[in-house]
Amino acid sequence: MTVITLTREQLYERVWQTPTVHLCKEFGLSDVGLAKLCKRYKIPKPYLGYWARKTAGGKPKVTPLPVCSDSSLATIQFAQPEPTIQESEFFDPEIEALYQKELQRERLAVPATLRSPLPIVARTKEAIHSGKWPDEPTLHVSVSKSFVDRAMRIMNALLKGLLARGYTIENEGRYHSNATVIRGYGHEFGVRIREPSVMVQRMDTFYHRMRTEYDPSGRIQLEVEGFGSWTPKVVRDGKRSTIEDRIGDIPAQMLKAIDAARRKKAEWEAEERRREAERQAAWEAEERAKEAARLAAAKKRREIALFKRARLWKRCGDLREFIEAVRQRTEERPLPEGARQEATEWIEWATGVADAYDPLATWAEQLPGRVPKPR
């Protein structure tokens, strides 16, 4: 474990020169832990909007370090834990590398005035003020006129930052009907700014009864589709931060959403391959069962044919015995010449019938490789 020692003045300089997220990572503290540490050592922290103004090129006022006579607060020691190898929370190495690069980049900042707006931003602003919408694509912004300038500054800063990070603004896509489509790294996002309505009850002077109406809420919100849920990710003004302060977190959050989408797609493809393998195995098992049934049926038919031949052979044997008995009776008895001739013909005919139906008479012709002889 490494121990880091800083004076109170050194920590004060670090707090006002380095964003909290980087200091927390360096000292192994959470943002709440660093805030408590600064409070204990009477070190003022940057106020709300300080980093946004500094990133935008301004010179925000720095709160001076108050004098402290307590000698026990002169130095601060941090017990920095040894780095441990942890399993990455990212699924795709490409997105993880982009995320690490994003942490080192300057955060997106919204300037106080609209500077060099993108063409789509300029078209949208002009269309809102004039009421004439052009044929070219415009942003999805639905706010009161008092919020138009702020909404344009937010969208311009966000879109410029995303374009610099490799994203593109598309005219078509999944969210085209209700948001501005942003595409990057095989994923789509939809961005819009709107002012939600609030429901109010007013007295109808004509009918003398209450009626429901919807008025602008007076608060705008940035909504981003494409984070893997049916509802968009909403960024609003809070008690301690504004949309302008929180817009810098959006690129990193988008990368996490892209990584989650790739993980989900890979899991779906693996599941589909597993199901296809199961279907193939089931088909092969069914084919084997069919083949086994076919062989069993063929075997059964062959056995039945065998017994039929055996019974036919036995009947042919009885027939031959009967023919032999007729021949003997014909030889023993004196018959007229015509009757003897008829008996001889009958014996020949009956012998031919026995030979035709006797399985053993055609046995040699049924053997494999033998050519049957004409009868």
Side-chain angles (χ1 to χ4, degrees), residues 139-198:
L139 299 175
H140 286 260
V141 176
S142 177
V143 297
S144 303
K145 287 193 175 182
S146 58
F147 291 111
V148 171
D149 290 340
R150 184 188 178 194
M152 293 300 105
R153 288 189 290 107
I154 293 174
M155 290 294 283
N156 191 61
L158 177 60
L159 294 181
K160 276 189 173 181
L162 295 179
L163 289 175
R165 287 161 171 79
Y167 294 87
T168 58
I169 303 175
E170 302 294 334
N171 298 331
E172 296 180 352
R174 178 179 180 183
Y175 309 103
H176 178 67
S177 60
N178 60 359
T180 300
V181 177
I182 307 297
R183 184 177 292 120
Y185 309 105
H187 195 77
E188 282 188 4
F189 294 94
V191 182
R192 61 176 172 267
I193 291 182
R194 68 183 186 94
E195 181 181 2
S197 301
V198 292

